[in-house]
Amino acid sequence: MMQHQLAVQARFRPETLERVLRVVRHRGFQLCSMNVATVGSTDNINIELTVASLRPVELLFSQLSKLVDVACVEIQQPTTQQIRA
């Protein structure tokens, strides 16, 4: 499996993280790591995801971009590390 890193900027709501995780799972990606940080004193958060899958990361990117509270999704430099299951 190939690892991919994504950076997501979203509005902080209790359900935002649940929606992001549900999309990751439904699109067939395995969550390897997740880091969430608030942006200053605003109600925005930055979510850094590392996911693994044999599927193209663009499938996950397009679905995350459609979420209501998500403002921006970026695919970071692809990781060359392979995960073997």
Side-chain angles (χ1 to χ4, degrees):
M1 281 195 264
M2 187 70 150
Q3 276 193 349
H4 304 280
Q5 293 181 341
L6 294 105
V8 180
Q9 294 178 0
R11 194 168 19 156
F12 180 68
R13 299 281 181 264
E15 63 274 9
T16 301
L17 292 176
E18 292 176 19
R19 287 182 181 142
V20 168
L21 292 173
R22 184 179 65 235
V23 168
V24 169
R25 181 173 50 92
H26 281 207
R27 293 293 160 214
F29 287 81
Q30 176 185 351
L31 183 66
C32 299
S33 69
M34 182 170 102
N35 186 21
V36 181
T38 57
V39 181
S41 61
T42 65
D43 65 341
N44 294 327
I45 56 173
N46 288 335
I47 306 167
E48 294 178 6
L49 299 169
T50 303
V51 295
S53 181
L54 296 173
R55 305 182 81 189
V57 72
E58 290 78 16
L59 295 173
L60 181 59
F61 171 84
S62 66
Q63 292 302 309
L64 288 174
S65 299
K66 294 177 186 177
L67 292 176
V68 173
D69 291 322
V70 171
C72 177
V73 179
E74 281 184 24
I75 300 173
Q76 304 296 318
Q77 288 290 347
T79 307
T80 56
Q81 180 182 6
Q82 298 280 331
I83 296 177
R84 296 176 194 245

